[in-house]
Amino acid sequence: MNKKMIKYSLISIVLYNLVMLVPITGFMLPNYKLKNGAEFTLREHITTNIVILAGIAAISYQNVLLYISVFLAIEMLYYVFKYVKVKSYRFKIFDRIVITSIISTILMLICMRFLTGDIESMKKLIGDMYINNYGMSEKDLKLAFDFIRDYRYFLLYTYAGLMTYLTYLMRGKKYYKTWQVSYIWVVFYIIPFLAKKYFNVESILLQNILLMTKISYIVYAAKILYNLIGNKIRFGLLKYILSLVVVFYFPNTSFVLGGLISFRMIKVKIGVEDKKEKK
């Protein structure tokens, strides 16, 4: 390994430890690796990732599973979508984010199967801490754990989606206005919705799928709002914040807006052609 590869591996390990302390900073790891490892050969990528995995495993083997299922998955799929075409078709940016989030969620669920004992120990530790230190009742704690258990698919998808979304945003902010999403994901809302409403199918999995689809189009609606206020406000960060605040307060309206625009039933002028979307 040369000096660049050693530095790259060590910084990646440090960033991963930062993620363990502050999970919301997770996007910094794949963003750093994509930015600084862009010129690596396939062999160099493999070598550095082996070193990173070894460094993480030296701290905790459980961390290796999380690194692979979230951050390595984001990095690998970023390259896959960047260079691979399906019948000369390139996936739209939001489609890449959704697919990456789904795959990462599946990987995390698989990894959780290997960590059942650790998860139970962590639940007991957290339960004791909140009951003894914060005066939380066992009933309220049980409700919280039941919610996490029932909606774990949605919660994992949301975290994976946030990390993927922020990674793509950091890598292509200037192309954000042109990001598009396919209407195909609406099907994953319509089918569970019809099953629940007209066939009385009650399933927590279907409810998770509804929420996963809904939040995907809500985030897309935030991008649409970003475009709409773009001509009025020049400060980029303020536009991001305002668009997210609006969709947060009006999630149902935002979901409908995002879905309709994905079907091109509503057109929003953005001033840049889709073909200039960041690849």
Side-chain angles (χ1 to χ4, degrees):
M1 291 179 65
N2 56 41
K3 290 182 179 180
K4 182 179 179 180
M5 293 170 65
I6 294 172
K7 178 183 176 182
Y8 172 88
S9 301
L10 291 176
I11 292 178
S12 296
I13 293 171
V14 170
L15 284 175
Y16 185 79
N17 281 284
L18 175 62
V19 174
M20 292 296 97
L21 295 173
V22 188
I24 194 65
T25 63
F27 69 94
M28 295 172 61
L29 176 55
N31 178 62
Y32 170 79
K33 294 187 69 183
L34 289 167
K35 179 180 179 180
N36 293 276
E39 304 301 322
F40 284 172
T41 64
L42 177 60
R43 182 175 180 178
E44 288 173 333
H45 273 297
I46 294 173
T47 301
T48 50
N49 272 299
I50 289 174
V51 173
I52 294 168
L53 285 168
I56 294 173
I59 301 170
S60 171
Y61 79 93
Q62 296 97 327
N63 289 344
V64 172
L65 297 178
L66 179 62
Y67 171 75
I68 293 173
S69 60
V70 181
F71 307 108
L72 187 58
I74 292 173
E75 179 189 358
M76 292 179 64
L77 288 169
Y78 183 93
Y79 285 120
V80 168
F81 287 125
K82 183 176 181 179
Y83 296 112
V84 174
K85 297 180 181 180
V86 178
K87 295 183 179 179
S88 74
Y89 173 79
R90 284 192 181 276
F91 289 92
K92 301 178 188 299
I93 296 294
F94 266 104
D95 290 343
R96 302 179 195 185
I97 294 172
V98 171
I99 294 171
T100 301
S101 303
I102 292 172
I103 292 175
S104 180
T105 299
I106 293 172
L107 290 173
M108 281 191 281
L109 289 168
I110 293 172
C111 289
M112 287 172 66
R113 296 283 185 177
F114 297 97
L115 300 174
T116 304
D118 298 286
I119 292 174
E120 290 301 319
S121 298
M122 187 178 299
K123 282 176 61 178
K124 186 177 185 308
L125 180 64
I126 293 174
D128 292 341
M129 179 181 70
Y130 274 87
I131 290 173
N132 297 327
N133 297 339
Y134 299 102
M136 191 175 188
S137 69
E138 292 188 9
K139 181 180 179 181
D140 289 340
L141 186 65
K142 184 179 183 302
L143 287 173
F145 281 141
D146 287 346
F147 176 83
I148 294 172
R149 179 199 62 204
D150 292 341
Y151 291 95
R152 62 187 181 279
Y153 308 107
F154 169 67
L155 295 173
L156 292 175
Y157 176 83
T158 300
Y159 181 72
L162 179 61
M163 294 303 101
T164 308
Y165 173 82
L166 291 175
T167 298
Y168 273 90
L169 188 61
M170 294 298 293
R171 301 305 307 139
K173 287 183 290 187
K174 64 181 180 180
Y175 297 96
Y176 181 62
K177 284 187 176 183
T178 68
W179 286 14
Q180 300 294 320
V181 70
S182 171
Y183 61 84
I184 192 65
W185 305 110
V186 176
V187 175
F188 290 91
Y189 187 89
I190 293 174
I191 293 177
F193 177 80
L194 294 177
K196 286 172 65 67
K197 186 173 181 64
Y198 296 106
F199 297 97
N200 296 318
V201 178
E202 293 298 330
S203 168
I204 196 65
L205 177 59
L206 291 183
Q207 185 62 29
N208 274 265
I209 294 173
L210 286 171
L211 291 172
M212 290 160 67
T213 309
K214 191 172 184 178
I215 197 172
S216 299
Y217 281 101
I218 287 174
V219 174
Y220 180 60
K223 195 276 301 190
I224 301 302
L225 292 174
Y226 177 92
N227 291 342
L228 291 174
I229 64 178
N231 294 327
K232 305 295 183 181
I233 300 174
R234 296 299 179 185
F235 188 43
L237 181 60
L238 181 58
K239 289 190 287 185
Y240 285 121
I241 294 173
L242 285 176
S243 61
L244 290 174
V245 168
V246 171
V247 298
F248 176 80
Y249 279 104
F250 303 98
N252 293 327
T253 303
S254 300
F255 167 62
V256 173
L257 175 65
L260 290 175
I261 292 179
S262 73
F263 277 98
R264 303 300 184 265
M265 296 178 72
I266 298 177
K267 293 184 178 180
V268 178
K269 185 176 181 181
I270 59 176
V272 184
E273 294 295 328
D274 290 353
K275 65 182 180 180
K276 292 183 181 180
E277 178 183 88
K278 176 68 175 176
K279 294 296 188 288

